[in-house]
């Protein structure tokens, strides 16, 4: 179902001139540039500029490039899209209202209420319930992390995962996840992957410790599950990140696990160097 209240609020914000300040580095398309944008991209730019987004999330747009990333994954508003492990809902705030004629599915691992994952799930669910203008019509899906099933076979148009693969690699469950992605996607469906990028030749043990994984490993996992690599992009690359940090990727923002004296050093690097890969189910 469309979300008229949200669409109206975005339109009012744009007319009032507040959208540009809500998202400092995102340009709103003008009448000339709209002609060169991908289908659905002008509306996506409005969603990203919505002042209802969490301000702390907006600050991270410069590292996460949501408009370019989602367009690279060939999104449009009528698709059924599963986001894996949305965490605090950074991408949820964009995806849920954008998929106004389709379906946004938040897929989270089933977990005990008093565990870290359980508390994250509860906080995200509370956020969904408290902000219907953003999340009305979203679907909540809990899966078994040891043997994930994400819905009926051939039922989703997109599966998106942002900075999760390294966790599955560390837990030795990555193959099960990629199989679940392949099973739930329709033929021609897209798997979009963003993750912290390790240097080529990094050992599996070092990947598990550092949180960085090689593109080669992710491509191998996807190919083994049946996917075809369709394209790769440096949208989320960060050449300042040499990946050699005392506490792995968690040394960098937003976690910032480092000595206080090194704060400016790691802020100057910014968030991690990331791969952006698009796979297709034949």
């Amino acid at each position: 179902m469309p979300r008229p209240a949200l669409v109206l609020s975005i339109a009012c914000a744009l007319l009032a001139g507040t959208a540009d300040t809500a998202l400092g580095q995102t340009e709103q398309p003008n009448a000339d540039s709209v002609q060169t944008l991908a289908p659905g991209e002008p509306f996506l730019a409005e969603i990203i500029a919505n002042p209802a987004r969490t301000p702390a999330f907006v600050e991270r747009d410069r590292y996460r490039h949501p408009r370019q990333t989602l367009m690279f994954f060939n999104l449009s508003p009528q698709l059924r899209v599963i986001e894996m492990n949305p965490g605090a809902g950074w991408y949820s705030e964009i995806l849920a209202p954008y998929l106004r004629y389709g379906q946004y599915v938040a897929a989270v691992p089933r977990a005990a209420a008093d565990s870290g994952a359980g508390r994250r799930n509860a906080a995200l669910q509370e956020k969904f319930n408290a902000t219907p203008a953003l999340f009305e019509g979203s679907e909540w899906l809990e899966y078994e992390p040891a043997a994930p099933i994400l819905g009926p076979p051939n039922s989703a148009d997109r599966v998106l995962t942002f900075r999760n693969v390294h966790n599955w690699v560390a837990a030795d469950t990555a193959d099960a996840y990629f199989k679940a992605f392949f099973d739930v996607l329709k033929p021609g469906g897209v798997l979009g992957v963003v993750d912290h990028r390790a240097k080529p030749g990094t050992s599996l043990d070092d990947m598990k410790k550092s949180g960085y994984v090689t593109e080669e490993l992710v491509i191998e996992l996807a190919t083994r599950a049946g996917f075809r690599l369709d394209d790769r992009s440096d949208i989320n690359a960060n050449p300042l990140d040499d990946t050699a940090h005392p506490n792995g990727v968690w040394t960098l923002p937003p976690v910032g696990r480092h000595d206080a004296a090194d704060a400016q050093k790691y802020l100057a690097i910014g968030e991690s160097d990331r791969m952006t890969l698009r796979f297709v189910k034949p």
Side-chain angles (χ1 to χ4, degrees):
M1 291 291 291
R3 296 168 176 82
L6 176 61
V7 175
L8 179 59
S9 69
I10 293 172
C12 290
L14 291 172
L15 289 172
T18 60
D20 290 336
T21 59
L23 183 65
Q25 71 283 1
T26 298
E27 296 180 3
Q28 293 302 307
N30 58 39
D32 294 327
S33 65
V34 166
Q35 304 306 313
T36 66
L37 297 177
E41 191 166 3
F43 180 63
L44 179 59
E46 294 178 358
I47 293 292
I48 292 170
N50 180 14
R53 288 182 62 207
T54 302
F57 290 1
V58 173
E59 288 296 316
R60 299 180 68 189
D61 285 358
R62 58 187 169 136
Y63 301 118
R64 295 191 168 188
H65 312 101
R67 181 175 60 82
Q68 299 95 321
T69 299
L70 295 179
M71 286 295 99
F72 179 73
F73 294 147
N74 296 334
L75 252 64
S76 57
Q78 77 279 9
L79 300 179
R80 178 176 177 83
V81 178
I82 300 173
E83 183 190 2
M84 298 300 300
N85 302 10
W90 196 96
Y91 260 108
S92 305
E93 289 188 356
I94 298 170
L95 288 168
Y98 178 67
L99 298 166
R100 55 178 180 168
Y101 297 122
Q103 182 74 62
Y104 169 69
V105 182
V108 301
R110 186 168 287 114
D114 60 350
S115 67
R119 286 190 289 272
R120 284 192 296 273
N121 292 350
L124 184 61
Q125 217 168 15
E126 182 179 349
K127 179 174 186 168
F128 279 26
N129 294 335
T131 323
L134 285 176
F135 300 110
E136 183 181 8
S138 298
E139 181 179 326
W140 185 265
L141 186 157
E142 292 190 2
Y143 64 84
E144 291 294 341
I149 297 175
L150 304 174
N154 307 318
S155 62
D157 298 292
R158 302 285 184 274
V159 174
L160 306 180
T161 172
F162 302 98
R163 302 166 315 283
N164 290 306
V165 176
H166 66 282
N167 292 319
W168 303 327
V169 168
D172 295 319
T173 57
D175 279 308
Y177 277 88
F178 278 83
K179 179 183 183 301
F181 305 155
F182 189 86
D183 289 346
V184 77
L185 280 167
K186 301 172 183 177
V190 168
L191 167 64
V193 178
V194 176
D195 218 306
H196 315 294
R197 177 165 49 194
K199 301 297 184 187
T202 301
S203 71
L204 182 60
D205 282 345
D206 284 344
M207 285 190 258
K208 290 182 175 182
K209 292 173 186 175
S210 70
Y212 290 93
V213 294
T214 62
E215 286 193 20
E216 179 184 17
L217 177 60
V218 176
I219 293 169
E220 178 185 333
L221 288 164
T223 302
R224 191 157 59 225
F227 288 102
R228 171 179 59 83
L229 177 65
D230 190 48
D231 202 358
R232 64 179 88 193
S233 172
D234 276 335
I235 294 166
N236 295 297
N238 180 357
L240 298 178
D241 178 18
D242 65 6
T243 76
H245 311 302
N247 293 304
V249 71
W250 303 282
T251 309
L252 298 178
V255 176
R257 193 178 297 164
H258 53 68
D259 293 338
D262 293 329
Q264 289 306 312
K265 169 185 173 181
Y266 292 115
L267 283 174
I269 294 172
E271 295 193 14
S272 66
D273 178 54
R274 292 165 186 168
M275 69 186 86
T276 305
L277 306 176
R278 185 175 72 224
F279 298 95
V280 172
K281 176 176 176 176

